[in-house]
């Protein structure tokens, strides 16, 4: 693990260990650098990540403040959501309309003759090909979907249409990159990757998007409360 990642995760751990509401600040950069035996540049990189995921705020000349919600909410961040939008780009590979299959009709709640969009795009992170995304959306809700929208912010487009996004339902599976995916990502066939399947859910419960993402540089960190009820159930014999 890189030094900056170790410092980031250790600071996260210490923030979540603190239960004293009066403990609102982290030590200054210089002190943190001495405690971890690293440069102030490394500390600054770790703090930038904590700022990007909303855990701390750095106030110039005042200090490093812990966010109020950092200790009360579960936290999930990954190698994509911690990136600023100016560090991410997209290239459209394909876009077309199709009739939904049985599963797609079930997910979207559509009739057999209702059209859906299917598009494929490559996501670049820091100018490197990182992800292939295949997504599907109902044409009736998003009739003007186009290349410009797909190569910018899809979620911003959904909100601009007057919809309110409520939840994302996401699952993960380790895979090996196939020949077609390797060509799009400029990598070797067979290297390990993460397949991320997601459903975007609107307020009211309707699904507006299903997507499948293949990521060759994926990492994810979770900070969640321990589930005692789940452990008790799993230990039961039925």
């Amino acid at each position: 693990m890189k030094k900056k990642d170790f410092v980031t995760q250790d600071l996260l751990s210490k923030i979540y260990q603190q239960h004293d509401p009066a403990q609102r600040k982290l030590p200054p950069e210089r002190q943190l650098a001495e405690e971890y035996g690293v440069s102030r540049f490394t500390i600054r990189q770790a703090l930038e990540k904590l700022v990007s995921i909303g855990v701390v705020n750095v106030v110039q000349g005042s200090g490093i403040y812990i966010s109020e919600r950092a200790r009360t909410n579960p936290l999930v961040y990954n190698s994509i959501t911690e990136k600023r939008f100016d560090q991410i780009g997209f290239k459209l590979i394909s876009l077309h309309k199709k009739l939904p299959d049985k599963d797609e009709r079930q997910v979207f709640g559509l009739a057999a003759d209702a059209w859906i969009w299917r598009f494929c795009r490559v996501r670049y992170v820091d100018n490197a090909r990182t992800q292939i995304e295949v997504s599907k959306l109902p044409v009736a809700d998003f009739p003007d979907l186009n290349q410009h929208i797909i190569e910018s912010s899809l979620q911003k487009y959904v909100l601009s249409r007057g919809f309110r996004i409520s939840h994302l339902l996401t699952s993960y599976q380790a895979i090996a990159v196939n020949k077609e995916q390797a060509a799009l990502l400029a990598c070797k066939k067979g290297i390990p990757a993460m397949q991320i399947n997601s459903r975007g859910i609107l307020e009211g419960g309707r699904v507006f998007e299903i997507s499948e993402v293949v990521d060759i540089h994926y990492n994810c960190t979770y900070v969640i409360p321990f589930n005692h009820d789940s452990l008790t159930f799993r230990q039961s014999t039925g």
Side-chain angles (χ1 to χ4, degrees), residues 21-80:
Q23 183 68 30
R24 296 182 55 236
K25 294 174 69 175
L26 292 179
E29 280 185 16
R30 186 182 300 277
Q31 182 178 334
L32 289 172
E34 292 174 357
E35 290 178 1
Y36 286 101
V38 298
S39 68
R40 291 184 67 176
F41 177 72
T42 298
I43 295 298
R44 206 164 291 124
Q45 287 181 308
L47 292 174
E48 284 176 358
K49 180 170 286 191
L50 293 179
V51 169
S52 72
I53 60 177
V55 173
V56 303
N57 299 302
V58 178
V59 180
Q60 197 69 30
S62 180
I64 308 160
Y65 290 86
I66 299 170
S67 171
E68 290 282 335
R69 66 181 182 85
R71 295 183 181 130
T72 57
N73 292 346
L75 172 68
V76 179
Y77 72 92
N78 60 47
S79 49
I80 293 300

Side-chain angles (χ1 to χ4, degrees), residues 94-100 104 113-119 135-140 142-146 150:
S94 64
L95 169 65
H96 63 270
K97 296 178 182 179
K98 66 182 286 288
L99 290 172
E104 291 159 351
D113 59 351
W115 293 88
I116 62 172
W117 292 108
R118 181 192 185 277
F119 72 79
S135 287
K136 299 162 188 173
L137 303 90
V139 171
F142 309 105
D144 58 345
L145 186 67
N146 58 46
I150 293 168

Side-chain angles (χ1 to χ4, degrees), residues 178-189:
N178 63 32
K179 183 178 179 180
E180 181 183 0
Q181 293 164 344
L184 288 174
L185 293 170
C187 65
K188 292 183 178 180
K189 175 186 174 183

